[in-house]
Amino acid sequence: MSASLVLRRRLAGELRALRMQAGLSQETVAEYLDASAYKIVRIENAQSSIGMSDLRQLLALYKVDAETRERLIDLGRNARKRGGWWSSYRDVLPGPYVQLEAEASQLRNYEPSKVPGLLQTPDYAHAVVRASDPSISPEEADRRVTVRMKRQERLHEDDGPLELKVLVDEAVLHRYAGGPDVMRSQLEHLLHTSERPNVSLRVLPYEAGLYPAVGNPFAILTFAESVDPDVVLCENRVGERYFHDADEVAGFHADFAQMTKVSLSEDASVTLIKRVIAEMGG
């Protein structure tokens, strides 16, 4: 498994801190490397990797001590490594989310209209993929579903499985995807998966009324190492938007905490899901 993106973010943060500590502007650093300021911006935002030659030059410019130099050079080497199961699915992955999720230790996910990808059955996932893009080819739909199922392996790892906290609006339980049989199987899958100790599933009932972020799905990714800051993903039809700023991320944490307060307990959520299944008949 490759941790290149997470490590690149860590290196970017350290390089940005060293530059500021040295009292240098991005323009000054760019001139030193005979590069554009845009390149430095991308490196410090982890949007692109830094070459080892440039990294060594920057560490010399920032006058870091020998121990720090060796540590950051080693970090730079590891950050440039490529790989991971997702490499074979770059054509159906719009952004870096899957790489981040693969290295996260905890995920908080709010979904107002559909079951989160990590809890979807294959049939339900196919229905979601087809609904989001009716013109998609059967081959690409299969690849997208395969990625979704592959992601779910994080929940079942023996060593450090992903801790998943999910909030879904009650509407998710009533909005059929793929027909009654597919939906019934999906709801039963939710009951089964919610029994895992690393999975928390809670429903925001209609009675909760309006709440923070209502109707706007988001995911908060937290990492095991404290030096790796949380990331928030907001996704809609036009693409993905990521939030890294500490204050912005804190706002999403506050929303999730408030939404958790007005949601049903885990036991009450299970009871509601069972009731919905029973009302479906069959």
Side-chain angles (χ1 to χ4, degrees):
M1 178 181 292
S2 170
S4 59
L5 181 57
V6 173
L7 296 182
R8 193 167 74 222
R9 292 177 66 239
R10 189 182 304 173
L11 179 61
E14 297 220 33
L15 290 177
R16 182 169 57 251
L18 287 171
R19 176 182 59 76
M20 297 176 68
Q21 183 179 334
L24 301 173
S25 67
Q26 292 176 326
E27 290 75 16
T28 300
V29 172
E31 184 177 353
Y32 179 79
L33 291 182
D34 192 23
S36 67
Y38 178 66
K39 175 180 178 178
I40 305 304
V41 170
R42 287 184 59 81
I43 289 173
E44 291 191 353
N45 288 335
Q47 294 173 313
S48 63
S49 58
I50 182 172
M52 297 307 296
S53 176
D54 285 346
L55 177 58
R56 290 187 175 91
Q57 290 185 66
L58 286 188
L59 297 179
L61 176 64
Y62 300 152
K63 296 181 172 58
V64 302
D65 59 72
E67 182 178 351
T68 301
R69 179 180 181 278
E70 290 306 312
R71 179 176 62 82
L72 293 182
I73 286 177
D74 185 58
L75 180 58
R77 288 196 187 97
N78 289 325
R80 291 179 61 82
K81 292 180 179 178
R82 301 185 181 276
W85 63 263
W86 54 82
S87 299
S88 301
Y89 298 92
R90 294 187 186 278
D91 57 318
V92 296
L93 295 174
Y97 178 79
V98 170
Q99 294 183 55
L100 292 169
E101 185 184 79
E103 297 302 327
S105 59
Q106 184 180 85
L107 170 62
R108 297 173 179 85
N109 194 183
Y110 161 63
E111 283 289 351
S113 59
K114 62 181 182 294
V115 173
L118 288 177
L119 298 180
Q120 292 177 6
T121 65
D123 288 340
Y124 184 96
H126 267 289
V128 170
V129 168
R130 289 193 296 269
S132 64
D133 185 1
S135 65
I136 191 172
S137 69
E139 293 76 18
E140 182 173 346
D142 287 343
R143 286 175 62 76
R144 290 189 185 183
V145 172
T146 297
V147 168
R148 205 157 294 182
M149 298 303 106
K150 185 70 175 176
R151 287 169 50 205
Q152 295 180 10
E153 294 180 7
R154 283 296 325 275
L155 298 177
H156 306 281
E157 293 176 347
D158 294 330
D159 184 20
L162 178 67
E163 182 182 349
L164 178 64
K165 296 180 179 294
V166 169
L167 296 175
V168 296
D169 193 280
E170 185 177 348
V172 171
L173 310 181
H174 300 283
R175 180 171 288 109
Y176 284 16
D181 291 341
V182 171
M183 194 64 197
R184 184 182 299 105
S185 295
Q186 175 61 74
L187 294 178
E188 290 171 348
H189 179 69
L190 286 181
L191 294 177
H192 175 72
T193 308
S194 67
E195 296 175 354
R196 297 191 59 81
N198 58 310
V199 175
S200 170
L201 172 63
R202 300 177 68 149
V203 177
L204 287 151
Y206 291 139
E207 292 78 7
L210 297 178
Y211 48 80
V214 62
N216 299 294
F218 65 88
I220 307 173
L221 294 158
T222 299
F223 304 90
E225 298 292 336
S226 60
V227 295
D228 299 323
D230 291 0
V231 180
V232 175
L233 165 70
C234 294
E235 186 178 16
N236 56 38
R237 184 170 180 79
V238 298
E240 299 177 342
R241 184 179 181 189
Y242 293 87
F243 295 87
H244 306 269
D245 179 79
D247 290 337
E248 292 176 329
V249 171
F252 283 98
H253 275 290
D255 285 351
F256 196 88
Q258 180 59 33
M259 293 158 67
T260 300
K261 287 182 180 179
V262 300
S263 67
L264 298 176
S265 68
E266 293 181 30
D267 288 343
S269 296
V270 166
T271 298
L272 176 57
I273 293 172
K274 288 181 177 178
R275 190 181 77 203
V276 172
I277 294 175
E279 291 173 352
M280 294 175 70

